Amino acid sequence: MSNRYEERQESRRERLENAADKAARKSGQHFQAARAAVEAIPMGQPILVGHHSEARHRGALRRQDSHMRQAVDADRRAQELKRRADAVGTGGISSDDPEAVAKLREQLESAKASQDTMKKANAILRKKATNDEQKTRELEGLGFNSAMAANILSNGGFPRYSLTNNGANMRRIEQRIAELEALAARQDKEIQGPGYIYREDTEENRVMFIFPGKPDDETRAKMKMEGFKWSPSREGKPYVRKMTANALSVARWVREWLDRKAEKISHSTT
């Protein structure tokens, strides 16, 4: 059974796929219009300069060129939308997913099981008193099929880098679990600053800055530089960023920057 996050992901994929289909149809329509624009002109017919057909001929060529350009542009957009649709849900486990911690724990257990299996396989291959046939049987006892067991045996076991990389991945997953659990324990926060409202929305998993009107160029540039995106569809039209440990640190620096800026302005006007 899918959760709300997965449902939103599926809805996003469908929207992108529908938009891609629409762009593809539009491209086809423009290609058809480009052909239709010059259908009445015999193939290879040059423009008869000074003839009464000259203006009509030139107009047809302009329409053909315009439709061809629009057809190519629409086709490129269709391809890009299709690429984005195919990429939905392939970027790993998102912190927006309410089941992220559970899914990460499953990944961690799988990585631990792989680490244990690789270590046991290498231990089997280090046995000097055991022949290759016996080693193969023991490898199969770990769950490897005959072809995999033969490959492990011929390669001398799992290389050190496989164990090192998997160990690093386990530590990364553990750190991410700890970070998400810490974020989940946070409470909503709202701070009124000089000329802004700072908000931490745990349900939406977002950090945001809300301004009473359009911020000046310097402030907008600062928001963009620090990874905050303007969200006109949200109430208050805030500048938003996904809530992560790094985002919270950056938000604190931005608040300090905004406070210092407001103080300078206050001093300059007194």
Side-chain angles (χ1 to χ4, degrees), residues 203-219:
E203 182 177 356
E204 196 175 348
N205 196 33
R206 292 295 184 272
V207 181
M208 59 188 74
F209 285 90
I210 303 171
F211 299 92
K214 183 178 180 180
D216 58 36
D217 292 345
E218 185 183 21
T219 301

Side-chain angles (χ1 to χ4, degrees), residues 25 45 99-100 114 169 193 209 236:
R25 290 195 300 272
Q45 171 70 53
E99 297 179 12
S114 295
N169 185 48
F209 285 90

